Amino acid sequence: MWRIMLVGGLGGILPSLLDKAEAWNSGEIQKWLESAPVLWIALLVACAPTVLYFVIGAVVAAVYEKQDLQKALLLGLGAP
């Protein structure tokens, strides 16, 4: 069951991680972090949605109780 939740959670965060990687490559994140008054609060604010998407993907995969990891990944991708 924990593997299903882990894969579902990873599916939940994959789209946001791709967005963050694109923002990192374009320099948006560097500009945003330089303009932040307190660095650790800015990092916490950036990580909070990722954690939330992981939890949503994991819960949805666990609720549907899919035993196939590929189906759990797809459920996690579609959850958020």
Side-chain angles (χ1 to χ4, degrees), residues 13-37:
I13 65 171
L14 282 177
S16 66
L17 288 180
L18 288 174
D19 291 339
K20 288 183 187 338
E22 182 180 332
W24 181 272
N25 287 335
S26 69
E28 281 181 53
I29 292 180
Q30 183 179 3
K31 292 177 195 172
W32 182 69
L33 289 176
E34 288 173 353
S35 67

Side-chain angles (χ1 to χ4, degrees), residues 1 4-5 7-8 11 13 23 34 39 42 47 49-50 52 55 57 60 66 73 75:
M1 180 63 138
I4 298 295
M5 292 179 67
V7 171
I13 65 171
E34 288 173 353
L39 182 63
C47 291
T50 305
L52 181 65
V55 170
V60 167
K66 297 293 182 190
L73 179 69
L75 283 170

Side-chain angles (χ1 to χ4, degrees), residues 43-72:
L43 291 173
L44 183 66
V45 167
C47 291
T50 305
V51 172
L52 181 65
Y53 292 152
F54 182 88
V55 170
I56 291 171
V59 167
V60 167
V63 166
Y64 283 101
E65 297 178 358
K66 297 293 182 190
Q67 298 302 319
D68 185 16
L69 294 178
Q70 184 177 11
K71 290 180 183 178

